[in-house]
Amino acid sequence: MSGTLITVAPTGAEVSKTSVPALPVTLDELVATAKECEALGAAIIHVHIRDDAAAPTLDQGRLRDTVAALRQSTDLIVQLSSGGAVTDPESDRLAVLDARPEMASCTMGTVNFGDGVFMNRWEFIVDLHTRMQERGVVPEYEIFDLGQLTTLQRLLDKHGLPAGGHVHVDLVMGVPGGMPGTAAALVACEAAIRDLPAGTTFSATGIGRSTIPVMLASLSAGGHLRVGMEDTVTYARGRPVESNMQLVARAVGFAQLAQRPPLTPADARTLLGITRK
Ligand code: KMH
Ligand code: ZN
């Protein structure tokens, strides 16, 4: 498939609503953002939710309500974050799957994350991967450093392919503590991805100012795109991001310039081996 899979990651767990008032944190704000981003060309929404104080939460009731509301209002593939915030316990992160999303993230290793540590022990990774297989939740394997692709290969060798049989990874580049958001790093990852099962696809996102070099490198290397205020809150030097739609519109423009127009959610499901439940 020659089009571009565009994922929007509108909220994340780290950006504060106080410093970035345009960040969608309520369910209404999230649904409105999702609808507009879908209309622009997004096919997947990577979801972190917030509580009434706009703090990150993995509250089960809120997660279920969020999945239901997004399904009702959009055709987007709902991908819940199992990463949460660096402070979330493993038990809550595993319980994210109980909200029955079509997709969930699954990170392939521990990484320093700014001043924190994003913990992903091997046994936890195996637990998450196998529970997703059992429940038919399609993973997006999050890769913060080159060696995590080797961990993914080990995981697939020992525990089998994910639900749906297709392997899709997301390169999260430029996290302080992870790999840099550069074309050279992306090319190194792309070479390692060739050792994964045939047909493995990847998307990439660059944190902060690496967003544009990573987008251009990913499109050139045959990859897909993730954008959103989880990763980028400055549109250009001195210009705060006004909305997630602004970032999705820019990604769509780049994809069109590359003659790889955005995939619809239906096309994305076909690519990723997802059967809509
Ligand atoms: N918020 C980060 C600690 C994921 O969503 O799976 C983890 C993260 C990755 O954002
Ligand atoms: Zn995330």
Side-chain angles (χ1 to χ4, degrees):
M1 215 179 273
S2 60
T4 303
L5 175 63
I6 296 182
T7 299
V8 62
T11 309
E14 286 78 31
V15 175
S16 91
K17 178 78 170 171
T18 319
S19 55
V20 183
L23 192 75
V25 293
T26 67
L27 186 51
D28 285 350
E29 287 170 346
L30 184 64
V31 169
T33 297
K35 286 161 86 169
E36 289 186 56
C37 290
E38 180 182 18
L40 288 166
I44 301 180
I45 184 163
H46 170 83
V47 178
H48 291 253
I49 60 166
R50 302 294 180 100
D51 65 16
D52 289 340
T57 178
L58 293 179
D59 177 81
Q60 190 56 219
R62 281 179 191 260
L63 285 171
R64 285 174 193 260
D65 290 349
T66 301
V67 171
L70 290 170
R71 281 184 68 110
Q72 195 183 354
S73 304
T74 75
D75 189 37
L76 291 171
I77 299 168
V78 179
Q79 180 191 99
L80 289 184
S81 166
S82 72
V86 292
T87 46
D88 284 319
E90 291 179 350
S91 55
D92 289 358
R93 292 174 56 193
L94 290 169
V96 163
L97 303 180
D98 295 343
R100 308 192 68 76
E102 283 181 281
M103 282 188 96
S105 57
C106 183
T107 296
M108 285 300 105
T110 296
V111 63
N112 285 313
F113 200 89
D115 295 335
V117 179
F118 182 30
M119 282 291 298
N120 294 284
R121 299 178 306 115
W122 169 250
E123 290 82 359
F124 174 73
I125 291 171
V126 170
D127 210 358
L128 198 49
H129 172 78
T130 50
R131 286 184 196 213
M132 284 197 211
Q133 283 173 323
E134 286 159 13
R135 291 161 191 233
V137 177
V138 172
E140 176 177 270
Y141 297 107
E142 307 287 338
I143 304 297
F144 290 78
D145 224 335
L146 180 62
Q148 293 182 2
L149 287 165
T150 311
T151 302
L152 174 55
Q153 196 168 25
R154 180 177 176 226
L155 181 73
L156 300 173
D157 285 348
K158 284 183 182 285
H159 298 281
L161 289 171
H166 177 86
V167 179
H168 179 69
V169 311
D170 180 45
L171 308 174
V172 185
M173 312 183 74
V175 168
M179 64 183 149
T182 60
L186 187 136
V187 167
C189 288
E190 196 270 334
I193 287 167
R194 283 191 233 136
D195 291 334
L196 292 170
T200 295
T201 50
F202 73 96
S203 58
T205 182
I207 305 299
R209 75 180 63 164
S210 68
T211 183
I212 290 176
V214 166
M215 258 195 290
L216 294 172
S218 189
L219 285 169
S220 306
H224 301 275
L225 305 178
R226 170 175 128 174
V227 292
M229 294 172 80
E230 171 166 346
D231 304 331
T232 310
V233 292
T234 302
Y235 189 76
R237 190 184 291 270
R239 269 180 75 188
V241 168
E242 288 162 17
S243 71
N244 281 286
M245 288 62 87
Q246 189 185 26
L247 295 172
V248 171
R250 180 164 68 182
V252 169
F254 283 178
Q256 278 164 341
L257 275 175
Q259 300 190 2
R260 291 185 45 206
L263 294 178
T264 64
D267 288 341
R269 284 188 177 88
T270 303
L271 179 73
L272 299 169
I274 298 175
T275 319
R276 193 162 189 188
K277 292 171 199 142

